Amino acid sequence: VRFAARRHRAHSAVEPRRCPRYRQRAVARLLQNGRARILALMALTGALLVTGVAVRGIGGKLPPAPEDLPAGSRALSEPMQFMLRGGGLRMRELADRLDPELRKGWDACSRLPYDLTDCPALLTWIDGPAGQKIERLLADLRKGNNDAALAALALTVQIARTSRWQPGIFDGHEDAERLGSLLQDWLRAWGPRSADDPQLLEPALAGLLLYGRVMRTAYNEPAIGRAYAPYQRARAFLDELTGAREAQPTPLGARLAARHPRAWSSLRGRGDFLAGADEEAHGLFPEIDGECGG
Amino acid sequence: MSAPGLSQDPRHPEPAEFHLALACLVVALGGVLLGLQVDGNGALVGTGLAPFGIGAVVALSATLFQAVRAHAVPRDVIGGFSALCGFLGIAFIVGGVLAPGGGWMFFEVLIAVALLARRHASARPAGPDLRASTVAVLAVMLLFKLWITWQGSEHRWQVVSLPIPILASIPLPVLEPIQRVSLGEFTPQELGFPPAGLRFGSTLTFWAAGFALAAAGLLWRSRAAVEHENDRIHATIHELPSGLAALVEKLLPEEEWVELGLHGLSERMRRKRIEALVGERLRWRRELENAFGNLDVLALANPGGFTGEVLRTLQLEAPDQTRRTP
């Protein structure tokens, strides 16, 4: 009996210390102690003061750009070359990467924009047989993978290069608006996805700048005043695509802000919000002036 | 576990000690928020040690100026800790509101030193002190910093860009470079921007909340430090027997303790000072009573005018033994 009583006493002396409720009571007793409370507050404050100094030393760093990350063996090198004047030289490379279903249409139509030599008005050409074929091909390519998307954008930029969409003094702005619609369709489908795609990021930003240039031409066309339909269409679309008027930009908007700050700052402004994109597109595609470089 | 300077009764510490500790906690929280900004990737980035260093220099200057005037030194653990918090709080808040670069930063430093070197006439807490009017000026500096930070976050690298009348209205692209004049240009390096740019909205929230907390904490600390000193003096007086303590408190009312130089003294010096002040007050009272006793009011009967008014006041307010009937 004595042994059992001793064991019970030992057990009751040790067991409460392991019990969570005992620990809670001990902490509560400590916090009821005024001096301990002040010391705890002082310790917490001291830790925060040290943190307050230490956080000032946290350095920022740029995340690696998507195109700088290690790429797979199938990655296309220098995808921007497909957008520029010499893009036609590498079209065979793109063709080999397309799905067989798309390949037939591609082989039949992909050379059409490159073979344009007489600088037709865009609206006239796109509504003709060749233009309609190209428009269908572009729609099919936009539904494919990122290789097909790159091919679609390259063809659209080539159309902008070899057709006439610059309004004359008395002409309307429909050509520019139609070209803007082609670019807008591509940007709507692939713009958000291209923000983290090493193959599509630079071409997409270039396409966005060109879209800005074309739509600015469309809404600035009237000799007096402004064409409000293309202006408001571009405003609404770019706000959605880039988050320029949101508290936080979209990933594509953030890339645009980092790489083309002039275009971004004017996009966030009021009034002539595409002036910056126009300037940057002029530097990127000096030959795309709506008059086939003439 | 016992820390010198904390209340002797562990269960009932003086409320001022709690206030001091809580005020310091609020200051420290504000300091953490003032040291952070949100970059373009949404990551937390520090505002840099250089602004904090400049803030520390300003806080040091203010501490030295104020210490020379007030001769108040922290005399216990909580007082010393609160003085340290006051110093760091001012370093945080000044570092947080200064324009991080450019010529105007030095101008702001001069203003901050001039403002912080002043102190309350009636309150002398140990450590650097902050006045409400100084907080208002610092808030204006914070607004200026927020303005140029917003300009920078929008890739506009000047304080303000003004259109030149007439010239700005000519719609010619070739005239664009001369259509506006930029005032106060700066660079991203001067603003201390992170490499990935700045998210202005989130950063504004951090800085505004940090400033509010740090400023409120510093003001609270000033008041609590005065109360804490009063608690210490009160404790010293109440070491006397209760009747005597009440008499000493009548002779030396609490409202006059700051002016009588009782704050910031060591235990021994405070006792000596109380002894001296009690003696001085009693001597003064005795001299006053003697003066009443020797005053020949009858010789000045019915003088009228200003003298008559003074005499009437003396008859009403003077001690009984000195009051005489004319």
Side-chain angles (χ1 to χ4, degrees):
Chain A
V1 170
R2 257 183 294 162
F3 175 73
R6 205 182 308 149
R7 199 171 134 192
H8 175 73
R9 273 202 303 275
H11 179 76
S12 59
V14 173
E15 192 57 29
R17 292 175 191 280
R18 292 181 188 157
C19 172
R21 191 172 292 172
Y22 173 82
R23 255 182 262 135
Q24 282 171 8
R25 274 204 297 264
V27 171
R29 267 203 300 274
L30 188 70
L31 288 179
Q32 277 173 1
N33 183 322
R35 195 184 302 163
R37 253 187 295 181
I38 290 181
L39 286 172
L41 275 176
M42 285 168 64
L44 181 61
T45 306
L48 278 174
L49 288 173
V50 172
T51 309
V53 177
V55 294
R56 284 165 159 76
I58 300 173
K61 55 183 177 188
L62 279 175
E67 56 266 44
D68 295 338
L69 293 171
S73 57
R74 263 183 60 80
L76 270 175
S77 123
E78 295 300 327
M80 263 306 282
Q81 285 183 356
F82 292 94
M83 302 292 112
L84 301 176
R85 258 181 292 200
L89 302 172
R90 290 184 68 185
M91 277 299 159
R92 174 66 50 195
E93 207 179 322
L94 263 184
D96 293 341
R97 302 163 72 96
L98 293 179
D99 282 344
E101 290 173 12
L102 292 171
R103 186 65 189 269
K104 194 177 162 190
W106 172 266
D107 288 341
C109 314
S110 64
R111 291 304 308 175
L112 290 174
Y114 292 91
D115 294 339
L116 280 177
T117 52
D118 52 348
C119 196
L122 185 130
L123 210 54
T124 312
W125 181 77
I126 204 92
D127 286 339
Q132 284 187 351
K133 280 183 194 168
I134 277 288
E135 218 172 1
R136 287 198 299 275
L137 176 63
L138 291 178
D140 292 340
L141 288 170
R142 281 198 301 269
K143 292 173 192 158
N145 59 12
N146 62 348
D147 292 326
L150 182 61
L153 186 59
L155 286 182
T156 312
V157 171
Q158 185 61 21
I159 292 167
R161 188 176 284 120
T162 55
S163 64
R164 182 163 50 80
W165 45 271
Q166 182 72 44
I169 297 173
F170 302 110
D171 291 334
H173 46 80
E174 292 81 6
D175 296 299
E177 273 197 75
R178 185 64 174 272
L179 179 60
S181 297
L182 290 177
L183 286 163
Q184 187 171 322
D185 287 342
W186 190 92
L187 287 167
R188 179 177 291 114
W190 280 95
R193 281 183 276 177
S194 59
D196 296 315
D197 188 326
Q199 182 172 300
L200 284 181
L201 175 60
E202 277 297 322
L205 291 177
L208 199 155
L209 296 175
L210 183 60
Y211 171 78
R213 174 160 219 212
V214 170
M215 292 306 279
R216 185 169 188 252
T217 304
Y219 72 66
N220 272 342
E221 180 273 331
I224 300 171
R226 179 172 283 170
Y228 281 99
Y231 177 88
Q232 289 184 355
R233 194 181 316 133
R235 175 86 265 182
F237 173 67
L238 288 176
D239 284 352
E240 182 190 335
L241 183 69
T242 62
R245 291 193 173 189
E246 304 293 326
Q248 304 297 339
T250 63
L252 186 69
R255 303 278 187 213
L256 182 73
R259 294 170 192 224
H260 303 283
R262 167 76 182 121
W264 177 250
S265 59
S266 74
L267 198 59
R268 284 172 74 91
R270 299 184 182 89
D272 195 1
F273 69 100
L274 288 177
D278 192 355
E279 278 176 37
E280 302 238 20
H282 182 71
L284 202 57
F285 304 111
E287 78 284 4
I288 302 182
D289 57 1
E291 292 174 332
C292 309
Chain B
M1 185 172 60
S2 142
L6 291 180
S7 168
Q8 293 307 305
D9 182 355
R11 287 187 183 276
H12 299 99
E14 299 293 347
E17 289 179 354
F18 269 128
H19 282 258
L20 262 185
L22 284 173
C24 289
L25 184 69
V26 171
V27 169
L29 267 176
V32 173
L33 291 178
L34 277 171
L36 289 169
Q37 52 190 344
V38 183
D39 76 358
N41 303 317
L44 289 176
V45 178
T47 51
L49 288 165
F52 173 70
I54 295 169
V57 170
V58 172
L60 185 64
S61 314
T63 307
L64 290 175
F65 276 118
Q66 293 188 9
V68 164
R69 283 175 161 195
H71 308 291
V73 180
R75 295 291 177 179
D76 55 10
V77 171
I78 187 77
F81 186 73
S82 109
L84 177 70
C85 284
F87 176 83
L88 285 175
I90 287 182
F92 287 147
I93 209 166
V94 172
V97 303
L98 282 182
W104 51 69
M105 184 190 74
F106 295 98
F107 183 62
E108 287 186 344
V109 167
L110 281 177
I111 293 177
V113 170
L115 287 172
L116 289 164
R118 299 182 306 159
R119 63 180 301 129
H120 288 278
S122 60
R124 298 177 187 184
D129 190 14
L130 199 63
R131 302 166 64 135
S133 58
T134 309
V135 171
V137 176
L138 291 173
V140 172
M141 288 183 183
L142 176 70
L143 281 178
F144 177 68
K145 182 181 179 179
L146 290 175
W147 167 258
I148 58 173
T149 305
W150 179 68
Q151 290 279 85
S153 73
E154 296 286 315
H155 302 284
R156 292 192 289 261
W157 305 109
Q158 68 273 331
V159 175
V160 68
S161 172
L162 297 171
I164 298 173
I166 303 172
L167 204 58
S169 59
I170 303 172
L172 283 176
V174 288
L175 292 178
E176 270 182 19
I178 54 169
Q179 282 179 329
R180 302 183 77 85
V181 60
S182 296
L183 299 178
E185 293 188 353
F186 48 80
T187 64
Q189 283 85 2
E190 284 176 343
L191 284 187
F193 272 15
L198 186 86
R199 284 195 184 172
F200 180 72
S202 323
T203 306
L204 162 75
T205 310
F206 272 66
W207 289 352
F211 179 83
L213 283 172
L218 285 170
L219 292 172
W220 188 8
R221 187 199 78 86
S222 295
R223 283 174 179 271
V226 171
E227 280 183 30
H228 176 57
E229 278 296 307
N230 283 348
D231 284 346
R232 293 179 66 231
I233 297 163
H234 184 80
T236 305
I237 291 173
H238 280 259
E239 287 171 9
L240 300 168
S242 59
L244 190 54
L247 179 65
V248 170
E249 280 192 331
K250 280 196 174 170
L251 283 169
L252 307 174
E254 187 170 327
E255 299 76 37
E256 296 177 16
W257 287 352
V258 175
E259 283 76 19
L260 291 173
L262 288 172
H263 279 203
L265 297 176
S266 68
E267 198 66 33
R268 190 182 66 83
M269 290 293 288
R270 189 165 57 242
R271 287 179 186 173
K272 299 288 279 181
R273 180 88 181 131
I274 289 171
E275 283 170 29
L277 285 169
V278 167
E280 191 180 300
R281 290 274 162 117
L282 284 174
R283 240 187 339 271
W284 175 79
R285 188 178 171 85
R286 205 173 300 124
E287 282 169 10
L288 188 69
E289 286 174 1
N290 287 341
F292 270 115
N294 296 334
L295 187 66
D296 189 1
V297 181
L298 286 175
L300 300 167
N302 301 320
F306 172 63
T307 313
E309 288 300 317
V310 172
L311 274 174
R312 192 174 302 127
T313 307
L314 281 174
Q315 284 164 4
L316 289 173
E317 303 294 336
D320 288 341
Q321 61 268 35
T322 59
R323 195 176 293 164
R324 296 179 185 177
T325 310

